[in-house]
Amino acid sequence: MTRTKKSITFFSLCLILLGYINTHYHWQLFGIQPASFMALSVFVASLCLWLFVSIDWSSLLCIVSLSLVPTISLNQILEKSFGNSTFIFLLFTFISTYAINQTVFLKRVIAKILMSRFARSHPTRFIFAFLTSVLVLSSIISPTVMFMFVFPIYEEICLQFGLEKQDKAASYLLIAVFSTIAIGCAMTPINHVFAITAMGLFTSATHISITNSQYMSMAIPTGLLLYGILLLSVHHLCKQSFSTKTIHTLDTLKHLPNQTKRETWIVILFFMMISLWILPEFFGVSKYISIVLPPMLATIAMCMIHIEGKPLLNLSDALTKGVHWQSLFLVGATLVLGSVLSDAKVGVIDLLNTYMTPFVLSLSPMFMILFFIAWAGIQTNFTSNLVTVSVVTTLAITIWQSAQLPINMGVLACFIGFMSSLAFATAPAMPYVAISIGSGWTTSKDTFLFGTWLLFWSIVLAVLIGYPLGAWILS
């Protein structure tokens, strides 16, 4: 651990200790009630640790520290974190998705698209088919997993087109690839933690559920418009580089093994799981099917069904290799943190009502929406996505509850999750951005300029198209 991290860790621990001492002796430091001071101490300490030190053990520290808030027991804290349906949902979604990642299904889908007559007819169509296939698969696959799968295909495309690492066309194409993954991630809550966290925080605070289809009905149109802007930008920047290229068969997609019975069963169960998330809402029976049920049933079925003496899913391997425990711990911590901060008994709402709410209330409803959406979009490109969605959503909900802001908070929460997924402007934004810059195929400058261009349009589309559409859907 570096000296800076040690200093931040020491400061955070001292802040939590100060909150506990203030609570124990009823000091009321700064004129703040002990419960409010304790909750805010944990919030600030956790935020510092998440941003600059770590997100795993610091999330556990956050959960334990919140039990020091008066009137809240550790059992209640655990119930609202690890016992929260959002936490369980993500756990089993990671497990069931691990099974499909062990097959060549994703590669098979991209091979059929890129080797189609349409894609091979012209280089521009080929790039369109490639990016569109990435968009579709990213809407149901974890973004980092998707990037690691598609990056070798990108490199082979560059070699086929005669592009080298210093070429601008290669740089912009790679930025387009990981930006497309981010857009696909933003468009659906399926296997994507950011949207699920935002909706979970809203549901925990209001006991009002937002369904997957409701989220997608506002996020998909907004995402497709942003994707259209991305395609037009890539075409404008790269049309001369791609117009004279010849398309050959990609070696990465050659000689794929025949589809096995095991792969067929896994794919069937995976898409049945997705269907159980979406279809019940169209038949008006979604209230009878918990969001947790489909991935749990898929996990059980994959463990029960054996092909050639082996289960479709090895649960032990999935738990160790397929579950993103760091992300889950952070989700659990933010869910309970948001619940505590929005609890009227703790008193943080009254503080926000006194200090921050007047500023927000001075804005028109449109600028309130712009304020939170722009905040989420900018922060997610410089810090952790999960920290962004957790902090911005929690504060937005708390201020909304304290002042009864004239906005649709459910829609705003969805688009905070949407914006938190769009991390593509800087290396700290997402691991795949750092990997892309480190590979030498693109540069920090190109990434920042192209990413900022897309970030601008994402904010505009979310405010002017997405939010009004969502408000109409949830009205």
Side-chain angles (χ1 to χ4, degrees):
M1 185 181 290
T2 63
R3 180 177 298 178
T4 301
K5 289 186 177 182
K6 288 180 180 178
S7 299
I8 293 172
T9 301
F10 178 75
F11 166 77
S12 300
L13 293 175
C14 288
L15 190 57
I16 293 174
L17 180 61
L18 177 62
Y20 171 72
I21 294 174
N22 177 70
T23 300
H24 184 73
Y25 291 104
H26 303 282
W27 285 348
Q28 295 193 7
L29 292 174
F30 307 109
I32 301 175
Q33 294 296 323
S36 300
F37 190 90
M38 185 70 237
L40 290 173
S41 297
V42 174
F43 172 72
V44 174
S46 299
L47 185 59
C48 291
L49 291 172
W50 288 336
L51 290 176
F52 304 110
V53 181
S54 173
I55 66 170
D56 42 22
W57 64 265
S58 58
S59 297
L60 298 177
L61 176 65
C62 173
I63 291 171
V64 173
S65 299
L66 286 173
S67 66
L68 301 176
V69 176
T71 74
I72 301 178
S73 68
L74 181 58
N75 286 339
Q76 290 174 309
I77 295 296
L78 294 175
E79 181 182 348
K80 293 177 180 180
S81 54
F82 300 134
N84 191 291
S85 60
T86 300
F87 181 91
I88 305 299
F89 163 78
L90 288 171
L91 171 62
F92 284 99
T93 300
F94 284 145
I95 292 173
S96 54
T97 304
Y98 173 78
I100 201 167
N101 290 340
Q102 302 308 300
T103 71
V104 294
F105 171 73
L106 300 180
K107 188 174 288 188
R108 203 183 304 280
V109 171
I110 287 188
K112 289 184 178 180
I113 294 173
L114 295 188
M115 296 301 105
S116 66
R117 182 179 299 178
F118 171 84
R120 293 171 64 84
S121 62
H122 192 274
T124 301
R125 292 184 177 183
F126 183 86
I127 297 301
F128 170 76
F130 173 58
L131 292 177
T132 302
S133 63
V134 171
L135 179 74
V136 172
L137 291 175
S138 298
S139 67
I140 59 173
I141 300 296
S142 171
T144 302
V145 172
M146 187 65 201
F147 178 81
M148 299 311 295
F149 159 73
V150 82
F151 184 67
I153 300 176
Y154 155 81
E155 288 191 305
E156 189 170 351
I157 290 174
C158 287
L159 294 175
Q160 294 257 349
F161 284 177
L163 299 175
E164 298 181 355
K165 289 190 174 183
Q166 67 269 21
D167 292 335
K168 285 292 184 181
S171 175
Y172 291 135
L173 180 58
L174 180 55
I175 297 170
V177 169
F178 63 68
S179 298
T180 300
I181 292 174
I183 295 171
C185 175
M187 284 166 50
T188 78
I190 300 170
N191 201 29
H192 300 139
V193 66
F194 313 123
I196 289 295
T197 301
M199 292 191 294
L201 288 169
F202 176 75
T203 300
S204 296
T206 65
H207 305 291
I208 300 173
S209 296
I210 300 173
T211 63
N212 290 330
S213 62
Q214 287 175 328
Y215 176 89
M216 289 188 290
S217 60
M218 63 182 95
I220 289 178
T222 309
L224 289 177
L225 288 173
L226 182 59
Y227 177 61
I229 292 173
L230 181 148
L231 288 177
L232 291 174
S233 302
V234 172
H235 178 71
H236 175 73
L237 294 169
C238 305
K239 59 183 177 181
Q240 292 184 346
S241 299
F242 293 147
S243 58
T244 59
K245 303 302 181 182
T246 303
I247 302 169
H248 304 285
T249 302
L250 301 178
D251 291 337
T252 307
L253 303 178
K254 278 184 178 179
H255 312 301
L256 294 178
N258 294 328
Q259 185 167 340
T260 63
K261 190 176 180 181
R262 170 183 293 273
E263 180 181 336
T264 301
W265 271 105
I266 290 174
V267 172
I268 289 173
L269 291 171
F270 183 79
F271 282 97
M272 284 179 65
M273 175 184 72
I274 294 176
S275 299
L276 280 175
W277 277 331
I278 300 172
L279 294 181
E281 297 166 19
F282 292 100
F283 295 102
V285 295
S286 57
K287 63 181 179 181
Y288 302 111
I289 300 179
S290 168
I291 191 175
V292 177
L293 186 61
M296 288 187 72
L297 290 177
T299 300
I300 294 170
M302 289 179 185
C303 291
M304 288 179 58
I305 298 175
H306 284 62
I307 302 295
E308 298 177 352
K310 294 182 179 179
L312 298 178
L313 173 67
N314 186 312
L315 190 56
S316 298
D317 286 347
L319 287 170
T320 55
K321 300 176 183 178
V323 178
H324 304 168
W325 288 108
Q326 287 184 324
S327 298
L328 275 179
F329 287 156
L330 180 55
V331 168
T334 55
L335 286 170
V336 69
L337 181 60
S339 177
V340 170
L341 292 178
S342 60
D343 189 340
K345 295 179 181 178
V346 176
V348 175
I349 290 178
D350 294 334
L351 281 175
L352 288 175
N353 196 28
T354 303
Y355 296 104
M356 190 171 181
T357 302
F359 163 73
V360 179
L361 285 176
S362 68
L363 304 174
S364 67
M366 180 63 72
F367 278 96
M368 290 180 190
I369 297 161
L370 175 62
F371 172 72
F372 287 110
I373 286 179
W375 178 4
I378 294 170
Q379 182 177 330
T380 198
N381 277 282
F382 292 93
T383 66
S384 163
N385 314 73
L386 268 177
V387 172
T388 298
V389 70
S390 304
V391 171
V392 180
T393 308
T394 298
L395 290 179
I397 291 173
T398 306
I399 294 172
W400 172 74
Q401 287 180 320
S402 67
Q404 295 299 303
L405 300 181
I407 58 177
N408 190 317
M409 191 59 233
V411 178
L412 181 58
C414 288
F415 277 98
I416 291 173
F418 180 91
M419 294 302 300
S420 298
S421 306
L422 300 178
F424 37 52
T426 68
M430 279 290 279
Y432 53 67
V433 180
I435 293 171
S436 298
I437 295 172
S439 70
W441 284 104
T442 189
T443 65
S444 296
K445 180 181 178 181
D446 289 346
T447 300
F448 180 76
L449 292 176
F450 198 109
T452 303
W453 168 252
L454 288 179
L455 176 60
F456 166 77
W457 281 108
S458 66
I459 294 172
V460 170
L461 292 173
V463 173
L464 298 182
I465 304 296
Y467 180 85
L469 178 61
W472 175 73
I473 292 169
L474 296 185
S475 61

